[in-house]
Amino acid sequence: MLLPSRTAVLNYMFDKCEVDVKSVMAALKNDYGNEKQFNEKMYLDHLMALEANGMVEMSSYELDENDELIMRYKITDDGKSTVEKYVDKRYRIA
């Protein structure tokens, strides 16, 4: 059984300093890569929804060598307490 993908994103971020959408997708690809909604737009939507709910915050942004915007996020204390409260320890990414 897998966590809902948005919860998996938050769970992945639990012990990370900073993530961007590509690093999240790389980490979750083995479990979620075959899903139709496994694409950058959807995973950016997950990060932005988590931000809107106070679970993560944007920590930095920059343009890469292709002039694409890279936004980095970090988990907040509320996000960490949500993971601790709702994600069973067997699903925690170490």
Side-chain angles (χ1 to χ4, degrees), residues 25-91:
M25 291 182 71
L28 300 179
K29 184 174 183 168
N30 287 339
D31 291 329
Y32 297 88
N34 293 324
E35 292 183 357
K36 184 178 179 180
Q37 296 182 1
F38 189 78
N39 59 65
E40 282 191 39
K41 180 186 179 313
M42 182 57 67
Y43 276 72
L44 182 57
D45 285 349
H46 289 329
L47 287 166
M48 292 171 58
L50 290 166
E51 180 183 27
N53 286 293
M55 303 293 161
V56 305
E57 60 188 22
M58 187 183 299
S59 54
S60 66
Y61 59 91
E62 65 183 3
L63 293 176
D64 69 8
E65 62 277 351
N66 298 319
D67 287 333
E68 291 185 33
L69 182 61
I70 305 297
M71 296 179 290
R72 293 186 182 82
Y73 294 87
K74 65 180 183 177
I75 194 167
T76 63
D77 289 340
D78 285 343
K80 284 185 177 189
S81 65
T82 298
V83 170
E84 289 171 341
K85 184 174 182 180
Y86 295 108
V87 177
D88 191 287
K89 288 183 182 182
R90 66 183 164 175
Y91 293 106

